[in-house]
Amino acid sequence: MKIIKVNVDCPSKEVIEEAAEIIKNGGVVVIPTDTVYGLTADPFNEKAMRRVYEVKGREEGKPLPILLGESHDAFSLVKPSENFWKLARAFWPGSLTIVENLSENAPSHLSIWGSIGVRLPNCYFCRALAREVGGAIIGTSANISHMKSPVNVEEAYNMLKDRVDLYIDGGQARIGISSTVVSIINNEIKILREGAIKEEDIRRVLNK
C-alpha cells in the first residue's frame, strides 16, 4: 500500500496529479483535510461512490458529503439559496458542511438522496485536489462507520488497511473534529451534526 507525504499548505504538483489520476480512474484515496482525515473519490462516478460505501461499511442510503475546489463549484451539485451564500461567506473556507437540494446538474445516481452536503475546506491541498479532479470530490471521514474519525494517516490505515488505493500523509489534522453539518432546505434550519462550528454561530449569521 502506497503512502505519500505532503505539505498541505504547499503540496507538490506531482502529488496532486497522482492522487487526482487515481480518483479520476475510479479509485479511492485517503487524504488529510482541515478537520479529520477523509476518504475521497469522484462523486460523478457511481462505481467509485459505491466503493466508498464498501470501504466504510456504510449503508448506501446515507448521503456522502462533498468537498469543493471553489465555492462556485457548488452549482454542479446543489441549488444554492440566499441562506447558503450567507453561511458560505461567513464560514468558508472552513468546517461547515451545508446541505441543500440537488441541482439539475447533479449526476442522476445522486438523485436518490434529493439533497447533498457541500463544503469548501480550509485546506489548500484538498481544494487543489478537488480542482484537479474537476471541482468536487467526496469528503467523508476515513473510518469504518460508527468508529472514531482518524486525525492522522496511521489511525486511518489501522482501520482501512489495503481497502483503498492510496494514502496521503499530511501530518496531524489541524482541527481534529468533524465539520458541523447544517441543512437549510426550504429555509428550514436543522443542525444534523454539531462539530467544529457551534449552532449559535450559525443561527447568528442567518438571523443577521
PDB file of all heavy atoms in Angstrom, residues 158-172:
ATOM      1  N   ASN A 158      -4.848   2.022  10.106  1.00  0.00           N
ATOM      2  CA  ASN A 158      -5.166   0.930  11.031  1.00  0.00           C
ATOM      3  C   ASN A 158      -6.599   0.436  10.859  1.00  0.00           C
ATOM      4  O   ASN A 158      -6.902  -0.719  11.128  1.00  0.00           O
ATOM      5  CB  ASN A 158      -4.933   1.369  12.487  1.00  0.00           C
ATOM      6  CG  ASN A 158      -3.444   1.470  12.799  1.00  0.00           C
ATOM      7  OD1 ASN A 158      -2.622   0.875  12.104  1.00  0.00           O
ATOM      8  ND2 ASN A 158      -3.096   2.232  13.816  1.00  0.00           N
ATOM      9  N   MET A 159      -7.485   1.327  10.403  1.00  0.00           N
ATOM     10  CA  MET A 159      -8.874   0.929  10.171  1.00  0.00           C
ATOM     11  C   MET A 159      -9.095   0.362   8.773  1.00  0.00           C
ATOM     12  O   MET A 159      -9.805  -0.623   8.591  1.00  0.00           O
ATOM     13  CB  MET A 159      -9.810   2.132  10.382  1.00  0.00           C
ATOM     14  CG  MET A 159     -10.236   2.326  11.817  1.00  0.00           C
ATOM     15  SD  MET A 159     -11.487   3.615  11.968  1.00  0.00           S
ATOM     16  CE  MET A 159     -10.464   5.045  12.253  1.00  0.00           C
ATOM     17  N   LEU A 160      -8.508   1.009   7.763  1.00  0.00           N
ATOM     18  CA  LEU A 160      -8.876   0.707   6.377  1.00  0.00           C
ATOM     19  C   LEU A 160      -7.886  -0.190   5.643  1.00  0.00           C
ATOM     20  O   LEU A 160      -8.226  -0.757   4.598  1.00  0.00           O
ATOM     21  CB  LEU A 160      -9.060   2.022   5.598  1.00  0.00           C
ATOM     22  CG  LEU A 160     -10.052   3.017   6.211  1.00  0.00           C
ATOM     23  CD1 LEU A 160     -10.138   4.269   5.355  1.00  0.00           C
ATOM     24  CD2 LEU A 160     -11.435   2.389   6.367  1.00  0.00           C
ATOM     25  N   LYS A 161      -6.669  -0.285   6.158  1.00  0.00           N
ATOM     26  CA  LYS A 161      -5.630  -1.153   5.578  1.00  0.00           C
ATOM     27  C   LYS A 161      -5.549  -1.016   4.044  1.00  0.00           C
ATOM     28  O   LYS A 161      -5.442   0.072   3.522  1.00  0.00           O
ATOM     29  CB  LYS A 161      -5.884  -2.610   5.984  1.00  0.00           C
ATOM     30  CG  LYS A 161      -5.788  -2.857   7.488  1.00  0.00           C
ATOM     31  CD  LYS A 161      -4.370  -2.800   7.983  1.00  0.00           C
ATOM     32  CE  LYS A 161      -4.170  -3.410   9.353  1.00  0.00           C
ATOM     33  NZ  LYS A 161      -4.688  -2.624  10.461  1.00  0.00           N
ATOM     34  N   ASP A 162      -5.652  -2.137   3.314  1.00  0.00           N
ATOM     35  CA  ASP A 162      -5.474  -2.091   1.853  1.00  0.00           C
ATOM     36  C   ASP A 162      -6.804  -1.970   1.100  1.00  0.00           C
ATOM     37  O   ASP A 162      -6.893  -2.309  -0.078  1.00  0.00           O
ATOM     38  CB  ASP A 162      -4.694  -3.315   1.368  1.00  0.00           C
ATOM     39  CG  ASP A 162      -5.387  -4.628   1.709  1.00  0.00           C
ATOM     40  OD1 ASP A 162      -6.462  -4.574   2.383  1.00  0.00           O
ATOM     41  OD2 ASP A 162      -4.890  -5.694   1.322  1.00  0.00           O
ATOM     42  N   ARG A 163      -7.837  -1.476   1.763  1.00  0.00           N
ATOM     43  CA  ARG A 163      -9.131  -1.287   1.079  1.00  0.00           C
ATOM     44  C   ARG A 163      -9.111  -0.094   0.140  1.00  0.00           C
ATOM     45  O   ARG A 163     -10.007   0.069  -0.671  1.00  0.00           O
ATOM     46  CB  ARG A 163     -10.247  -1.068   2.108  1.00  0.00           C
ATOM     47  CG  ARG A 163     -10.479  -2.224   3.059  1.00  0.00           C
ATOM     48  CD  ARG A 163     -11.674  -1.906   3.948  1.00  0.00           C
ATOM     49  NE  ARG A 163     -11.773  -2.818   5.066  1.00  0.00           N
ATOM     50  CZ  ARG A 163     -12.793  -2.849   5.894  1.00  0.00           C
ATOM     51  NH1 ARG A 163     -13.801  -2.011   5.730  1.00  0.00           N
ATOM     52  NH2 ARG A 163     -12.824  -3.694   6.896  1.00  0.00           N
ATOM     53  N   VAL A 164      -8.119   0.793   0.300  1.00  0.00           N
ATOM     54  CA  VAL A 164      -8.044   1.990  -0.550  1.00  0.00           C
ATOM     55  C   VAL A 164      -6.817   1.911  -1.447  1.00  0.00           C
ATOM     56  O   VAL A 164      -5.935   1.081  -1.246  1.00  0.00           O
ATOM     57  CB  VAL A 164      -8.031   3.291   0.293  1.00  0.00           C
ATOM     58  CG1 VAL A 164      -9.236   3.345   1.209  1.00  0.00           C
ATOM     59  CG2 VAL A 164      -6.749   3.423   1.097  1.00  0.00           C
ATOM     60  N   ASP A 165      -6.747   2.810  -2.432  1.00  0.00           N
ATOM     61  CA  ASP A 165      -5.682   2.749  -3.432  1.00  0.00           C
ATOM     62  C   ASP A 165      -4.451   3.580  -3.076  1.00  0.00           C
ATOM     63  O   ASP A 165      -3.374   3.342  -3.602  1.00  0.00           O
ATOM     64  CB  ASP A 165      -6.241   3.220  -4.784  1.00  0.00           C
ATOM     65  CG  ASP A 165      -7.425   2.368  -5.208  1.00  0.00           C
ATOM     66  OD1 ASP A 165      -7.248   1.146  -5.354  1.00  0.00           O
ATOM     67  OD2 ASP A 165      -8.535   2.916  -5.358  1.00  0.00           O
ATOM     68  N   LEU A 166      -4.637   4.577  -2.215  1.00  0.00           N
ATOM     69  CA  LEU A 166      -3.518   5.474  -1.882  1.00  0.00           C
ATOM     70  C   LEU A 166      -3.824   6.192  -0.572  1.00  0.00           C
ATOM     71  O   LEU A 166      -4.974   6.540  -0.298  1.00  0.00           O
ATOM     72  CB  LEU A 166      -3.335   6.516  -3.007  1.00  0.00           C
ATOM     73  CG  LEU A 166      -2.276   7.601  -2.808  1.00  0.00           C
ATOM     74  CD1 LEU A 166      -0.865   7.014  -2.810  1.00  0.00           C
ATOM     75  CD2 LEU A 166      -2.401   8.680  -3.889  1.00  0.00           C
ATOM     76  N   TYR A 167      -2.782   6.402   0.232  1.00  0.00           N
ATOM     77  CA  TYR A 167      -2.879   7.229   1.439  1.00  0.00           C
ATOM     78  C   TYR A 167      -2.004   8.463   1.256  1.00  0.00           C
ATOM     79  O   TYR A 167      -0.851   8.345   0.839  1.00  0.00           O
ATOM     80  CB  TYR A 167      -2.371   6.468   2.669  1.00  0.00           C
ATOM     81  CG  TYR A 167      -3.294   5.395   3.179  1.00  0.00           C
ATOM     82  CD1 TYR A 167      -3.273   4.109   2.630  1.00  0.00           C
ATOM     83  CD2 TYR A 167      -4.181   5.647   4.220  1.00  0.00           C
ATOM     84  CE1 TYR A 167      -4.116   3.114   3.099  1.00  0.00           C
ATOM     85  CE2 TYR A 167      -5.030   4.660   4.704  1.00  0.00           C
ATOM     86  CZ  TYR A 167      -4.986   3.390   4.140  1.00  0.00           C
ATOM     87  OH  TYR A 167      -5.827   2.415   4.615  1.00  0.00           O
ATOM     88  N   ILE A 168      -2.551   9.626   1.550  1.00  0.00           N
ATOM     89  CA  ILE A 168      -1.768  10.863   1.544  1.00  0.00           C
ATOM     90  C   ILE A 168      -1.557  11.276   3.003  1.00  0.00           C
ATOM     91  O   ILE A 168      -2.530  11.471   3.750  1.00  0.00           O
ATOM     92  CB  ILE A 168      -2.497  12.003   0.791  1.00  0.00           C
ATOM     93  CG1 ILE A 168      -2.805  11.600  -0.651  1.00  0.00           C
ATOM     94  CG2 ILE A 168      -1.666  13.287   0.834  1.00  0.00           C
ATOM     95  CD1 ILE A 168      -1.619  11.509  -1.579  1.00  0.00           C
ATOM     96  N   ASP A 169      -0.306  11.397   3.401  1.00  0.00           N
ATOM     97  CA  ASP A 169       0.049  11.735   4.788  1.00  0.00           C
ATOM     98  C   ASP A 169       0.391  13.218   4.878  1.00  0.00           C
ATOM     99  O   ASP A 169       1.437  13.649   4.416  1.00  0.00           O
ATOM    100  CB  ASP A 169       1.239  10.876   5.224  1.00  0.00           C
ATOM    101  CG  ASP A 169       1.686  11.173   6.650  1.00  0.00           C
ATOM    102  OD1 ASP A 169       1.035  12.006   7.328  1.00  0.00           O
ATOM    103  OD2 ASP A 169       2.682  10.569   7.090  1.00  0.00           O
ATOM    104  N   GLY A 170      -0.511  13.992   5.485  1.00  0.00           N
ATOM    105  CA  GLY A 170      -0.274  15.424   5.674  1.00  0.00           C
ATOM    106  C   GLY A 170      -0.039  15.789   7.118  1.00  0.00           C
ATOM    107  O   GLY A 170      -0.257  16.928   7.520  1.00  0.00           O
ATOM    108  N   GLY A 171       0.390  14.793   7.928  1.00  0.00           N
ATOM    109  CA  GLY A 171       0.607  15.057   9.354  1.00  0.00           C
ATOM    110  C   GLY A 171      -0.714  15.063  10.112  1.00  0.00           C
ATOM    111  O   GLY A 171      -1.741  14.597   9.619  1.00  0.00           O
ATOM    112  N   GLN A 172      -0.674  15.604  11.316  1.00  0.00           N
ATOM    113  CA  GLN A 172      -1.860  15.638  12.179  1.00  0.00           C
ATOM    114  C   GLN A 172      -2.905  16.606  11.621  1.00  0.00           C
ATOM    115  O   GLN A 172      -2.570  17.716  11.205  1.00  0.00           O
ATOM    116  CB  GLN A 172      -1.425  16.091  13.580  1.00  0.00           C
ATOM    117  CG  GLN A 172      -2.400  15.748  14.684  1.00  0.00           C
ATOM    118  CD  GLN A 172      -2.373  14.275  15.086  1.00  0.00           C
ATOM    119  OE1 GLN A 172      -1.627  13.476  14.533  1.00  0.00           O
ATOM    120  NE2 GLN A 172      -3.214  13.913  16.032  1.00  0.00           N
TER     121      GLN A 172
END
